[in-house]
Amino acid sequence: MPSSIPPLPGLTRYTHWGAVPEGLHTKTQLDRQGLKPGGEPLGQVLYHGNCYAPLYEVTAAVAKRPCSPAQKAVLDRARDLQYVCRRCGHRDDEPLGRGRWCDSCSIPAALFEVHDQAQVLARELVADESAVVLVVDVEPDSFPEAQGVAVVGVHDGQVLYAAPAGEYGSPERGAVLDRLDALLVDRRVVEEPDFMGPNHRYPHALLRLPRSGPVVPGRDPLHPWAAPHSAANDSVTRIWAGWFGWTDRHSSTNACAPWEWSGDIPMPWSRSLDLVADGRSMADLLHRIADGTEPVWERAAWTTDGHGEPDLSWDRRRTARVAA
């Protein structure tokens, strides 16, 4: 229903139903009597404050042609199908609306789409010779001997830069930031968020002490490769989480990463004191996702809903993936 229906030019306007002369009816009123308009509208009435409905002379109306049994059967069947999932055949208590998928099918389909998009992104990164994995380790109280930074190419695993991070505010840290500014200009940066391990590996941790105050969202104007909370850079964790398909609730369409220290699901890349090895491990993971050889969760929603992958007639047709 439109928010307003403007008046038709050249027709008498009635601003309330009491002013409408007898013998003038709207299409809806005629329809309830089994009639339809037999001529042009003779007036219009205002309703809902900003809509005008044309009025037709009831004496000129003609009888509506009744539906044939075949037409009625088709309409009844169409109405009935609004309650039936077109993927699994489940009948719901309420009309399913556009798409006609029940929750049990739409949730796996949504997670499958996230999974599919993760592979698309991994393929883009693997094919992009400028894409790099940026690994940092600058937590002041964790693994002090490993504080450093490494830049590894996603495409070929080449080490582009590796150095100690230096202390906050020191000339050594300034030199590292200057080198990253020059090296990462116009490059696509992939980072590893720090919430899956004991030390901080966000790029912006190089710029300020952890928990030293509010972090402004977006890219740092002086160091554009530093993006707080993965707001601008791609994330290895986010890509893998989407591909793996783990979710903490059956009704959730949010693919998330299980906590590393839960022990339930090991991370598929290394986290060690060797930042270069960790960067290469993450680049290898992106290659496996791009190739479709990285395992998915054995209980990923689209593999356990009883119907396999969602509708493969989607534009992005895929071959079956290798599951764990």
Side-chain angles (χ1 to χ4, degrees), residues 95-257:
L96 296 174
R98 187 176 182 180
R100 282 205 301 111
W101 279 24
C102 65
D103 288 343
S104 297
C105 287
S106 60
I107 290 172
L111 285 167
F112 179 89
E113 183 67 15
V114 174
H115 165 82
D116 190 70
Q117 288 298 318
Q119 186 178 48
V120 171
L121 180 53
R123 286 176 171 173
E124 290 177 359
L125 293 169
V126 167
D128 187 352
E129 295 185 4
S130 70
V132 295
V133 175
L134 174 60
V135 186
V136 301
D137 181 3
V138 293
E139 173 66 39
D141 301 323
S142 295
F143 300 117
E145 67 274 23
Q147 290 189 28
V149 58
V151 180
V152 178
V154 175
H155 179 72
D156 53 10
Q158 180 182 358
V159 180
L160 303 180
Y161 181 61
E167 296 295 329
Y168 284 94
S170 67
E172 291 78 11
R173 177 63 60 87
V176 168
L177 298 179
D178 291 342
R179 178 63 178 140
L180 291 175
D181 286 341
L183 181 63
L184 300 180
V185 64
D186 297 328
R187 285 186 179 271
R188 194 165 180 177
V189 177
V190 186
E191 65 183 40
E192 176 195 16
D194 64 348
F195 66 84
M196 302 187 69
N199 45 349
H200 287 259
R201 284 184 165 174
Y202 276 126
H204 74 261
L206 285 165
L207 309 180
R208 56 184 63 84
L209 286 165
R211 298 175 296 278
S212 62
V215 177
V216 179
R219 289 177 178 263
D220 188 288
L222 299 180
H223 309 285
W225 45 267
H229 309 299
S230 298
N233 296 340
D234 296 315
S235 162
V236 172
T237 305
R238 188 167 57 247
I239 296 170
W240 174 75
W243 169 267
F244 191 65
W246 186 86
T247 182
D248 55 355
R249 292 185 300 274
H250 293 297
S251 60
S252 173
T253 58
N254 177 39
C256 45

Side-chain angles (χ1 to χ4, degrees), residues 66-82 91:
C67 287
S68 67
Q71 289 174 319
K72 187 176 185 304
V74 170
L75 292 173
D76 290 342
R77 172 64 175 163
R79 279 190 287 267
D80 183 67
L81 286 177
Q82 293 301 311
R91 175 176 288 277

